[in-house]
Amino acid sequence: MAPHVFRMRVKEDQTERYREEHAHVWPEVRAACTAAGMRNYSIFMAGCDLIAYFEADDPAETLSRLSRDPAMHAWWAYMEPVMDEAPAGSDAYTEVFHLD
């Protein structure tokens, strides 16, 4: 199992909506994430900045599967007005330390 971490950003005036929507993520989106191989998926928020973490056997394949899922496309379109442009360096982070 490999970890995968990436950054996103919410528009300044949309942080409350982001929190509200993620308190009730659509069941189809949850199912798509699970079917794609995501486990232990979390999103952390500080102001407008988001850090997302998940584990998968093959994170690149998991993201590829999600990119082809109609439920994910619907969710991304629904959330698009809330999201800011991806921050610089938002690509996957490289793990440099781990403690079990």
Side-chain angles (χ1 to χ4, degrees), residues 14-62:
Q14 296 294 316
T15 57
E16 190 57 38
R17 178 174 173 208
Y18 186 90
R19 288 179 186 279
E20 290 171 9
E21 298 296 351
H22 281 76
H24 307 286
V25 173
W26 302 343
E28 302 88 349
V29 169
R30 290 175 173 271
C33 290
T34 300
M38 279 185 153
R39 293 188 280 286
N40 297 320
Y41 185 30
S42 295
I43 301 173
F44 300 89
M45 186 174 201
C48 295
D49 296 322
L50 305 169
I51 298 290
Y53 170 90
F54 72 88
E55 297 171 353
D57 292 332
D58 183 345
E61 177 59 26
T62 294

Coordinates of all heavy atoms in Angstrom, one line a residue, residues 14-62:
Q14 N -15.7 30.6 -0.2 CA -16.4 29.4 -0.4 C -16.0 28.3 0.7 O -16.4 27.1 0.5 CB -16.2 28.8 -1.8 CG -16.7 29.7 -2.9 CD -18.2 29.7 -2.9 OE1 -18.9 28.7 -2.7 NE2 -18.8 30.9 -3.0
T15 N -15.3 28.7 1.7 CA -14.8 27.7 2.7 C -15.9 27.0 3.4 O -15.9 25.8 3.6 CB -13.8 28.3 3.7 OG1 -14.4 29.4 4.3 CG2 -12.5 28.8 3.0
E16 N -17.0 27.8 3.8 CA -18.1 27.2 4.5 C -18.8 26.2 3.6 O -19.2 25.1 4.0 CB -19.0 28.2 5.1 CG -20.0 27.7 6.0 CD -19.4 26.9 7.2 OE1 -18.4 27.3 7.7 OE2 -20.0 25.9 7.6
R17 N -19.1 26.6 2.4 CA -19.8 25.6 1.4 C -18.9 24.4 1.3 O -19.5 23.3 1.2 CB -20.0 26.3 0.1 CG -20.7 25.3 -0.8 CD -21.1 25.9 -2.2 NE -21.6 24.8 -3.0 CZ -21.6 24.8 -4.3 NH1 -21.1 25.9 -5.0 NH2 -22.0 23.8 -5.0
Y18 N -17.6 24.5 1.1 CA -16.8 23.3 1.0 C -17.0 22.4 2.1 O -17.1 21.2 2.0 CB -15.3 23.7 0.8 CG -14.4 22.6 0.5 CD1 -14.2 22.2 -0.8 CD2 -13.8 21.8 1.5 CE1 -13.4 21.1 -1.1 CE2 -13.1 20.7 1.3 CZ -12.8 20.4 -0.1 OH -12.1 19.3 -0.3
R19 N -16.9 22.9 3.3 CA -17.1 22.1 4.5 C -18.5 21.4 4.5 O -18.6 20.2 4.8 CB -17.0 23.0 5.8 CG -15.6 23.4 6.1 CD -15.6 24.3 7.4 NE -14.3 24.8 7.7 CZ -13.3 24.1 8.3 NH1 -13.5 22.9 8.7 NH2 -12.1 24.7 8.5
E20 N -19.5 22.2 4.2 CA -20.9 21.7 4.2 C -21.0 20.5 3.2 O -21.6 19.5 3.5 CB -21.9 22.8 3.9 CG -22.0 23.8 5.0 CD -22.9 25.0 4.6 OE1 -23.5 25.0 3.5 OE2 -22.9 25.9 5.4
E21 N -20.5 20.7 2.0 CA -20.6 19.7 0.9 C -19.9 18.5 1.3 O -20.3 17.3 1.0 CB -20.1 20.3 -0.4 CG -20.9 21.4 -1.0 CD -22.4 21.1 -1.3 OE1 -22.8 20.0 -1.3 OE2 -23.1 22.1 -1.6
H22 N -18.7 18.6 1.9 CA -17.9 17.4 2.3 C -18.4 16.7 3.6 O -18.0 15.6 3.9 CB -16.4 17.8 2.4 CG -15.8 17.9 1.0 ND1 -16.0 18.9 0.2 CD2 -15.1 17.0 0.3 CE1 -15.4 18.7 -0.9 NE2 -14.8 17.5 -0.9
A23 N -19.4 17.4 4.2 CA -20.0 16.7 5.3 C -21.1 15.7 4.8 O -21.6 14.8 5.5 CB -20.7 17.7 6.3
H24 N -21.4 15.9 3.5 CA -22.4 15.0 2.9 C -22.0 14.6 1.4 O -22.8 14.8 0.5 CB -23.8 15.8 2.8 CG -24.2 16.3 4.1 ND1 -24.7 15.5 5.1 CD2 -24.2 17.5 4.6 CE1 -25.0 16.2 6.2 NE2 -24.7 17.5 5.9
V25 N -20.8 14.1 1.3 CA -20.3 13.7 0.0 C -21.3 12.6 -0.6 O -21.7 11.7 0.1 CB -18.9 13.1 0.1 CG1 -18.4 12.5 -1.2 CG2 -17.9 14.2 0.5
W26 N -21.6 12.8 -1.9 CA -22.5 11.9 -2.5 C -22.1 10.4 -2.3 O -20.9 10.1 -2.5 CB -22.6 12.2 -4.0 CG -23.0 13.6 -4.3 CD1 -23.6 14.5 -3.5 CD2 -22.8 14.2 -5.6 NE1 -23.8 15.7 -4.2 CE2 -23.3 15.5 -5.5 CE3 -22.3 13.8 -6.8 CZ2 -23.4 16.4 -6.6 CZ3 -22.3 14.6 -7.9 CH2 -22.8 15.9 -7.8
P27 N -23.1 9.5 -2.1 CA -22.7 8.1 -2.0 C -22.0 7.6 -3.3 O -21.2 6.7 -3.2 CB -24.1 7.4 -1.8 CG -25.0 8.5 -1.3 CD -24.5 9.8 -1.8
E28 N -22.4 8.1 -4.4 CA -21.8 7.6 -5.7 C -20.3 8.0 -5.7 O -19.5 7.2 -6.3 CB -22.5 8.3 -6.9 CG -23.9 7.9 -7.0 CD -24.8 8.9 -6.3 OE1 -24.4 9.8 -5.5 OE2 -26.1 8.9 -6.5
V29 N -19.9 9.1 -5.1 CA -18.5 9.5 -5.1 C -17.8 8.7 -4.1 O -16.7 8.2 -4.4 CB -18.4 11.0 -4.7 CG1 -17.0 11.4 -4.4 CG2 -19.0 11.9 -5.8
R30 N -18.4 8.4 -3.0 CA -17.7 7.5 -2.0 C -17.5 6.1 -2.6 O -16.4 5.5 -2.5 CB -18.6 7.3 -0.7 CG -18.6 8.6 0.1 CD -19.6 8.4 1.3 NE -19.6 9.5 2.2 CZ -18.8 9.6 3.2 NH1 -17.9 8.6 3.5 NH2 -18.8 10.6 4.0
A31 N -18.5 5.6 -3.3 CA -18.4 4.3 -4.0 C -17.3 4.3 -5.1 O -16.5 3.4 -5.2 CB -19.7 3.9 -4.6
A32 N -17.2 5.4 -5.8 CA -16.2 5.5 -6.9 C -14.8 5.5 -6.3 O -13.9 4.8 -6.8 CB -16.4 6.8 -7.7
C33 N -14.6 6.2 -5.2 CA -13.3 6.2 -4.6 C -12.9 4.8 -4.1 O -11.8 4.4 -4.3 CB -13.3 7.2 -3.4 SG -13.4 8.9 -3.9
T34 N -13.8 4.1 -3.5 CA -13.6 2.8 -3.0 C -13.3 1.8 -4.1 O -12.3 1.1 -4.1 CB -14.7 2.3 -2.1 OG1 -14.9 3.2 -1.0 CG2 -14.5 0.9 -1.6
A35 N -14.2 1.9 -5.2 CA -14.0 1.0 -6.3 C -12.7 1.3 -7.1 O -12.1 0.3 -7.6 CB -15.2 1.2 -7.3
A36 N -12.2 2.5 -7.0 CA -10.9 2.8 -7.7 C -9.7 2.4 -6.9 O -8.6 2.4 -7.4 CB -10.8 4.3 -7.9
G37 N -9.9 2.0 -5.6 CA -8.8 1.5 -4.8 C -8.4 2.4 -3.7 O -7.4 2.1 -3.1
M38 N -9.1 3.5 -3.5 CA -8.7 4.4 -2.4 C -9.0 3.8 -1.0 O -10.1 3.2 -0.8 CB -9.5 5.7 -2.5 CG -8.9 6.7 -3.5 SD -9.9 8.2 -3.3 CE -8.7 9.4 -3.9
R39 N -8.1 4.0 -0.1 CA -8.3 3.7 1.3 C -7.8 4.8 2.2 O -6.8 5.5 1.8 CB -7.7 2.3 1.6 CG -8.3 1.1 0.9 CD -7.8 -0.2 1.3 NE -6.5 -0.6 0.8 CZ -6.3 -1.0 -0.5 NH1 -7.3 -1.0 -1.3 NH2 -5.1 -1.3 -0.9
N40 N -8.3 4.9 3.3 CA -7.8 5.9 4.3 C -7.7 7.3 3.7 O -6.7 8.0 3.9 CB -6.5 5.5 4.9 CG -6.6 4.2 5.7 OD1 -7.6 4.0 6.4 ND2 -5.6 3.4 5.5
Y41 N -8.8 7.7 3.0 CA -8.8 9.0 2.3 C -9.2 10.1 3.3 O -10.3 10.0 3.9 CB -9.7 9.0 1.1 CG -9.7 10.2 0.2 CD1 -8.6 11.0 0.1 CD2 -10.9 10.5 -0.5 CE1 -8.7 12.2 -0.7 CE2 -10.9 11.7 -1.3 CZ -9.8 12.5 -1.4 OH -9.9 13.6 -2.2
S42 N -8.4 11.1 3.4 CA -8.7 12.3 4.3 C -8.4 13.5 3.6 O -7.4 13.6 2.8 CB -7.9 12.2 5.6 OG -8.2 11.1 6.4
I43 N -9.1 14.6 3.9 CA -8.8 15.9 3.4 C -8.7 16.8 4.6 O -9.6 16.8 5.5 CB -9.9 16.5 2.4 CG1 -10.0 15.6 1.2 CG2 -9.5 17.9 2.0 CD1 -11.2 15.9 0.3
F44 N -7.6 17.6 4.8 CA -7.4 18.5 5.9 C -7.5 19.9 5.3 O -7.0 20.2 4.3 CB -6.0 18.2 6.5 CG -5.9 16.8 7.0 CD1 -5.4 15.8 6.2 CD2 -6.2 16.5 8.4 CE1 -5.2 14.5 6.7 CE2 -6.0 15.2 8.9 CZ -5.5 14.2 8.0
M45 N -8.1 20.8 6.1 CA -8.3 22.2 5.7 C -7.7 23.1 6.7 O -7.9 23.0 7.9 CB -9.8 22.4 5.6 CG -10.2 23.7 5.0 SD -12.0 23.8 4.7 CE -12.1 25.0 3.5
A46 N -7.0 24.1 6.2 CA -6.4 25.2 7.0 C -6.7 26.5 6.2 O -6.1 26.7 5.2 CB -4.9 25.0 7.3
G47 N -7.7 27.3 6.6 CA -8.1 28.4 5.8 C -8.6 28.0 4.5 O -9.6 27.2 4.5
C48 N -8.0 28.4 3.4 CA -8.4 28.0 2.1 C -7.6 26.8 1.5 O -7.9 26.3 0.5 CB -8.3 29.2 1.1 SG -9.4 30.5 1.5
D49 N -6.6 26.4 2.2 CA -5.7 25.4 1.8 C -6.2 24.0 2.2 O -6.6 23.8 3.3 CB -4.3 25.6 2.3 CG -3.7 26.9 1.7 OD1 -3.9 27.2 0.6 OD2 -2.9 27.6 2.5
L50 N -6.1 23.1 1.3 CA -6.5 21.7 1.5 C -5.3 20.8 1.3 O -4.5 21.0 0.3 CB -7.6 21.3 0.6 CG -8.8 22.1 0.6 CD1 -9.7 21.8 -0.6 CD2 -9.6 22.0 1.9
I51 N -5.1 19.8 2.1 CA -4.1 18.7 1.9 C -4.9 17.4 1.9 O -5.7 17.2 2.8 CB -3.1 18.7 3.0 CG1 -2.2 20.0 3.1 CG2 -2.2 17.4 2.8 CD1 -1.3 20.2 1.9
A52 N -4.8 16.7 0.8 CA -5.5 15.4 0.7 C -4.6 14.2 0.8 O -3.4 14.3 0.3 CB -6.3 15.4 -0.6
Y53 N -5.0 13.2 1.5 CA -4.2 12.0 1.7 C -5.0 10.8 1.4 O -6.2 10.7 1.9 CB -3.7 12.0 3.2 CG -3.0 10.7 3.5 CD1 -1.6 10.5 3.4 CD2 -3.7 9.6 4.0 CE1 -1.0 9.3 3.7 CE2 -3.1 8.4 4.4 CZ -1.8 8.3 4.2 OH -1.2 7.1 4.5
F54 N -4.5 9.8 0.7 CA -5.1 8.5 0.6 C -4.0 7.5 0.4 O -2.9 7.8 0.1 CB -6.1 8.5 -0.5 CG -5.6 8.5 -2.0 CD1 -5.2 7.3 -2.6 CD2 -5.4 9.7 -2.6 CE1 -4.8 7.3 -3.9 CE2 -5.0 9.7 -3.9 CZ -4.6 8.5 -4.6
E55 N -4.4 6.2 0.6 CA -3.5 5.1 0.4 C -4.2 4.2 -0.7 O -5.4 4.1 -0.8 CB -3.4 4.3 1.6 CG -2.7 5.1 2.7 CD -2.8 4.3 4.1 OE1 -3.4 3.3 4.2 OE2 -2.1 4.9 5.0
A56 N -3.3 3.6 -1.5 CA -3.8 2.7 -2.6 C -2.6 1.8 -3.0 O -1.5 2.1 -2.8 CB -4.3 3.5 -3.8
D57 N -3.0 0.6 -3.5 CA -1.9 -0.3 -4.0 C -1.1 0.4 -5.1 O 0.1 0.3 -5.2 CB -2.6 -1.6 -4.5 CG -3.2 -2.4 -3.4 OD1 -2.7 -2.3 -2.2 OD2 -4.1 -3.2 -3.6
D58 N -1.8 1.1 -6.0 CA -1.2 1.8 -7.1 C -1.9 3.2 -7.2 O -2.9 3.3 -7.9 CB -1.3 1.0 -8.4 CG -0.6 1.6 -9.6 OD1 -0.3 2.8 -9.5 OD2 -0.5 0.9 -10.6
P59 N -1.4 4.2 -6.5 CA -2.0 5.5 -6.5 C -2.3 6.1 -7.9 O -3.3 6.7 -8.2 CB -1.1 6.4 -5.7 CG -0.4 5.5 -4.8 CD -0.2 4.2 -5.6
A60 N -1.3 5.9 -8.8 CA -1.5 6.5 -10.2 C -2.7 5.8 -10.9 O -3.5 6.4 -11.5 CB -0.2 6.3 -11.0
E61 N -2.8 4.5 -10.7 CA -3.9 3.7 -11.3 C -5.2 4.1 -10.7 O -6.3 4.3 -11.4 CB -3.7 2.2 -11.2 CG -4.8 1.4 -11.8 CD -5.2 1.7 -13.3 OE1 -4.3 2.1 -14.0 OE2 -6.3 1.4 -13.6
T62 N -5.2 4.3 -9.4 CA -6.4 4.8 -8.7 C -6.9 6.1 -9.2 O -8.1 6.3 -9.5 CB -6.1 4.9 -7.2 OG1 -5.9 3.6 -6.7 CG2 -7.3 5.5 -6.4

